[in-house]
Amino acid sequence: MTAPVLETQDLIKNYVIGGEMVHAVNGVSLRIDQGEFVAIMGASGSGKSTFMNMIGCLDVPTSGTLKLDGIDTRTLNSDELAEIRNRKIGFVFQQFNLLARTSALDNVAVPLIYAGVRPAERRERARARLDAMGLGNRLLNTPAKLSGGQQQRVAIARALVTNPLILLADEPTGALDTQTSLDIMGIFQKLNDEGITLVVVTHEPDIAEYAARRIVFRDGKVIEDAAVTSRRRAEVA
């Protein structure tokens, strides 16, 4: 059996809104192993985004256990959680979250600054990741001079530049047209074929079919966790 990248046991996240207790995530127990490609689905308010924030160490659970690479995140302080995010987790977002006046190369290098990597190595590693994304001729372009698909490729390169344990993508195709979305899913499948563990949050059933496993949330609980039997394959453009 492959090593677990992520394990949760009876994970709970509660909020008090308008004087009422809301169970955003309500007793979720699951395991994601190294090399898996998982799609997390659910309607708005189902708990999928709250769950993603917790496994990304952006939020802390009310109770339950969350282990990342065998580390119980409940034992970590805010600085240690920030270090875990930088070393072990790569993030890809719907709106790319790139620095507007900064080149693609320097955008990708940003996480390496926080990791204490020297400037020459930062640029070398950022360049290599952009080359792998097919953007070797766009290194000095700012986001305004890149298409949406190219911006998302920069964001993926940035997420990978620290060689993370797991890649978390929150609605990564939500701002893209159909063909560009397929291109991005092709990149994710290629990365997964290379052994990278991916978790993608999406509300689009057809996008979820590019993953190998689908987890569906409703009212803070997992109501489905199964292999994708009719998995689609996408080609990298």
Side-chain angles (χ1 to χ4, degrees):
M1 181 179 291
T2 56
V5 170
L6 174 76
E7 293 179 282
T8 72
Q9 184 66 43
D10 297 324
L11 199 68
I12 291 174
K13 182 64 180 182
N14 297 330
Y15 297 100
V16 176
I17 301 177
E20 295 186 4
M21 181 70 72
V22 176
H23 303 290
V25 172
N26 193 3
V28 171
S29 299
L30 57 80
R31 165 181 172 145
I32 296 174
D33 288 335
Q34 182 178 345
E36 284 202 86
F37 187 173
V38 180
I40 295 180
M41 300 192 68
S44 178
S46 65
K48 66 182 188 299
S49 293
T50 300
F51 181 75
M52 177 71 100
N53 286 339
M54 286 192 289
I55 67 175
C57 296
L58 297 168
D59 199 358
V60 295
T62 301
S63 63
T65 302
L66 193 163
K67 292 183 178 180
L68 184 68
D69 197 22
I71 300 169
D72 188 343
T73 60
R74 296 176 305 172
T75 66
L76 305 180
N77 60 35
S78 58
D79 288 341
E80 290 168 332
L81 285 171
E83 184 178 357
I84 286 285
R85 285 195 301 271
N86 187 260
R87 289 194 299 111
K88 294 184 179 291
I89 306 170
F91 295 95
V92 179
F93 302 98
Q94 178 176 343
Q95 298 299 334
F96 321 133
N97 289 7
L98 300 176
L99 300 173
R101 298 181 181 179
T102 303
S103 70
L105 186 67
D106 288 339
N107 263 289
V108 173
V110 166
L112 298 176
I113 297 174
Y114 298 107
V117 177
R118 293 182 177 180
E121 184 182 348
R122 290 201 304 261
R123 294 180 70 84
E124 180 180 345
R125 288 170 61 176
R127 184 187 301 272
R129 284 298 183 183
L130 286 166
D131 282 343
M133 289 293 121
L135 294 174
N137 60 344
R138 297 285 189 271
L139 300 179
L140 301 182
N141 287 36
T142 60
K145 295 181 179 179
L146 299 171
S147 68
Q150 289 171 334
Q151 289 184 62
Q152 193 60 294
R153 288 175 186 244
V154 173
I156 294 169
R158 179 185 59 191
L160 293 170
V161 77
T162 57
N163 300 316
L165 179 72
I166 187 170
L167 187 67
L168 305 181
D170 191 0
E171 300 284 2
T173 62
L176 304 174
D177 62 62
T178 300
Q179 184 55 55
T180 306
S181 296
L182 297 184
D183 293 342
I184 295 301
M185 296 314 295
I187 290 171
F188 284 156
Q189 286 186 329
K190 182 175 183 294
L191 292 171
N192 183 240
D193 290 343
E194 294 169 356
I196 293 175
T197 307
L198 288 110
V199 177
V200 174
V201 167
T202 181
H203 67 277
E204 301 176 76
D206 56 333
I207 291 298
E209 290 179 358
Y210 290 94
R213 174 183 172 193
R214 178 173 52 238
I215 298 173
V216 182
F217 276 72
R218 180 186 295 165
D219 298 328
K221 296 179 178 292
V222 172
I223 62 166
E224 178 187 335
D225 184 351
V228 176
T229 55
S230 56
R231 191 181 185 194
R232 299 186 181 189
R233 295 294 302 185
E235 299 297 328
V236 179

